[in-house]
Amino acid sequence: MRNAPHLLLNTPDIELWPGGLLRARSNHDARLLARASHVLRRKRDGRYLAVQLRGGLMPLVTRLPEEPGVEPALALLDARLSQPARMPPPSGPLPLDGLQQRLDRLGLDASAYAAQTGLPLVAEPACLQLAGFDRYRRPLWLTRGAARAWQRLHAAAAIDGIALDAISGYRSHAYQLGIFERKLARGLDVAAILTVNAAPGYSEHHGGNALDIGTPGEPPAEESFERTPAFAWLQRRAGELGFHLSYPRDNPHGIVHEPWHWCFRG
């Protein structure tokens, strides 16, 4: 991307969003978000913590300085504001601090889980690029390479008369834990959830290179996608554009067949 408004800057606890992309949850939020150049968003629950306005930073929570991880997020914001044109976006992966604490909440051991599934740890990128919007008009965040590859894939499919849409892209470790907690609250157990969702820290979505892909009129993330012309097209053409099906039938990771889940590997 050409400038910061199209980049999501990532820290272990807080995301730094460009203004104008987040949905308002009240009229008060709507007025602030409309004027904000950046928004600090807590990863574990999506809470908006502060907005950067023309006149300075406005906290949206009490005791903002006591928020975990707020200091590195504010330092990153200050750096971006001081030299927005010359400063390159942060690069590299984020540290994996806090991973075992999340797994402890699910009764999982990192080493045992990795040995059982063969899934590698996946760190979150320090910076993600806006790749468009998903089916639900949410911003779609991917790495720079995956964003460009998705746009090429989408365009190539359209030329062939195939409509593809993105269901989801990047997901943080904290968001992945939230998926488990919501399903546990509905009465599912961890073992059942692990057949359809990788444990926090082990999902390809964390790395910003994986996409759940659908087609209009088809329910999201359902095996029935395998019977659509869109899936047949992906089988023929996705590989040449750098995308690969991660979880085919009878895959060795213990995850159900996911015809919708494709990962950019270059």
Side-chain angles (χ1 to χ4, degrees):
M1 284 297 190
R2 291 171 294 179
N3 48 45
H6 299 97
L7 298 178
L8 174 68
L9 306 182
N10 210 1
T11 71
D13 298 297
I14 295 171
E15 296 166 345
L16 185 58
W17 281 62
L21 292 178
L22 285 165
R23 294 175 178 175
R25 296 162 183 166
S26 67
N27 289 336
H28 179 259
D29 280 356
R31 290 190 293 271
L32 290 176
L33 293 177
R35 296 161 48 207
S37 66
H38 297 84
V39 181
L40 272 65
R41 180 177 180 269
R42 190 163 58 199
K43 291 166 76 165
R44 64 179 170 84
D45 59 4
R47 178 76 181 270
Y48 304 158
L49 300 177
V51 293
Q52 178 66 41
L53 304 174
R54 186 183 298 270
L57 187 73
M58 174 176 287
L60 299 178
V61 296
T62 57
R63 301 191 181 98
L64 177 64
E66 298 176 17
E67 280 288 329
V70 73
E71 289 187 11
L74 291 176
L76 183 58
L77 175 61
D78 288 343
R80 297 300 296 174
L81 292 174
S82 63
Q83 295 182 317
R86 291 184 294 167
M87 180 182 176
S91 60
L94 296 182
L96 291 166
D97 298 347
L99 174 63
Q100 187 56 58
Q101 290 94 315
R102 291 188 176 98
L103 296 177
D104 286 343
R105 293 171 64 174
L106 302 175
L108 297 174
D109 175 77
S111 298
Y113 179 77
Q116 177 185 351
T117 63
L119 292 172
L121 276 172
V122 182
E124 299 175 33
C127 181
L128 293 133
Q129 179 170 304
L130 183 66
F133 295 84
D134 68 16
R135 175 182 291 187
Y136 309 103
R137 300 304 301 162
R138 300 173 303 192
L140 179 68
W141 298 109
L142 297 169
T143 63
R144 182 181 181 185
R148 292 180 174 181
W150 162 244
Q151 289 160 355
R152 290 194 296 268
L153 185 78
H154 188 271
I159 290 171
D160 289 343
I162 297 296
L164 300 178
D165 56 14
I167 305 301
S168 66
Y170 160 75
R171 294 202 295 257
S172 69
H173 294 175
Y175 187 94
Q176 193 78 0
L177 176 61
I179 291 174
F180 277 76
E181 291 176 333
R182 288 189 290 276
K183 289 185 176 183
L184 288 169
R186 297 204 304 265
L188 295 175
D189 60 32
V190 170
I193 301 169
L194 287 172
T195 65
V196 293
N197 296 109
Y202 294 88
S203 170
E204 288 183 330
H205 286 283
H206 299 326
N209 290 314
L211 275 165
D212 290 341
I213 298 176
T215 192
E218 185 69 19
E222 294 287 346
E223 194 171 314
S224 58
F225 179 64
E226 185 179 36
R227 299 188 291 274
T228 65
F231 179 74
W233 185 91
L234 287 167
Q235 284 189 303
R236 293 194 308 270
R237 298 290 310 279
E240 67 191 65
L241 295 166
F243 284 91
H244 301 271
L245 184 67
S246 297
Y247 305 117
R249 203 176 303 281
D250 300 320
N251 66 82
H253 306 299
I255 293 177
V256 297
H257 174 43
E258 294 191 350
W260 60 87
H261 181 105
W262 295 78
C263 191
F264 175 67
R265 296 173 186 160

